[in-house]
């Protein structure tokens, strides 16, 4: 596949919101597909995203082994993570869940804060 090929051309669904996906793609070193989710390997974390209104972005600390992270993540549910069943949230390095609200700029501000990026308040206050 060409390096500039956007996998979203294959997997994109009509009700997806490009805002969340676009901002995460800009930060990603690698992108993985899992079911209807995108898993972004960014510099300081792993971010799991379903870019639809009503969903949430899940943030995890940077794992020592991405293969191990993916193996564990692929065997559990979001409910398992939220309730830390069998200590899975801790094993995955779960940090936070960012809800997709009505104002995507609030989500962007929270994302930048969790990733340790500078928040430009003029950019996120509209």
């Amino acid at each position: 596949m060409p390096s500039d090929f956007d996998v979203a051309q294959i997997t994109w669904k009509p009700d997806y919101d490009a805002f969340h996906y676009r901002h995460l793609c800009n930060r990603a070193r690698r992108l993985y597909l899992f079911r209807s989710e995108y898993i972004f390997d960014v510099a300081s974390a792993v971010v799991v995203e379903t870019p639809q209104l009503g969903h949430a972005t899940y943030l995890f600390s940077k794992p020592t082994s991405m293969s191990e992270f993916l193996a564990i993540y692929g065997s559990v549910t979001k409910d398992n993570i939220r309730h830390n069943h069998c200590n899975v949230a801790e094993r995955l390095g779960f940090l936070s869940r960012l809800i997709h609200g009505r104002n995507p700029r609030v989500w962007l501000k929270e994302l930048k804060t969790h990733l340790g990026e500078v928040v430009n308040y003029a950019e996120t206050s509209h």
Side-chain angles (χ1 to χ4, degrees):
M1 234 184 286
S3 62
D4 63 343
F5 181 77
D6 185 3
V7 73
Q9 294 176 21
I10 296 172
T11 61
W12 203 254
K13 295 182 181 179
D15 59 345
Y16 276 5
D17 178 356
F19 182 87
H20 303 92
Y21 174 82
R22 186 175 58 248
H23 280 281
L24 289 167
C25 265
N26 290 338
R27 291 165 171 78
R29 294 199 245 184
R30 292 208 169 169
L31 170 64
Y32 301 87
L33 296 175
F34 178 68
R35 298 182 188 142
S36 62
E37 300 174 322
Y38 296 95
I39 300 173
F40 297 91
D41 180 3
V42 300
S44 61
V46 172
V47 182
V48 177
E49 176 65 31
T50 302
Q52 290 173 289
L53 193 59
H55 285 266
T57 303
Y58 284 70
L59 289 101
F60 301 89
S61 60
K62 194 71 166 174
T64 52
S65 166
M66 193 63 180
S67 296
E68 186 177 319
F69 174 89
L70 293 170
I72 296 169
Y73 186 81
S75 67
V76 299
T77 66
K78 296 273 180 77
D79 188 59
N80 295 146
I81 295 168
R82 285 192 303 273
H83 295 99
N84 199 23
H85 292 153
C86 299
N87 211 28
V88 72
E90 186 173 329
R91 288 189 355 236
L92 288 170
F94 178 65
L95 298 172
S96 185
R97 181 173 164 239
L98 308 177
I99 305 296
H100 296 180
R102 292 180 187 232
N103 184 348
R105 287 180 175 87
V106 171
W107 172 89
L108 180 58
K109 178 183 169 222
E110 290 180 30
L111 176 70
K112 286 182 171 188
T113 299
H114 279 79
L115 296 180
E117 297 177 10
V118 175
V119 176
N120 178 346
Y121 287 94
E123 173 184 78
T124 60
S125 65
H126 298 283

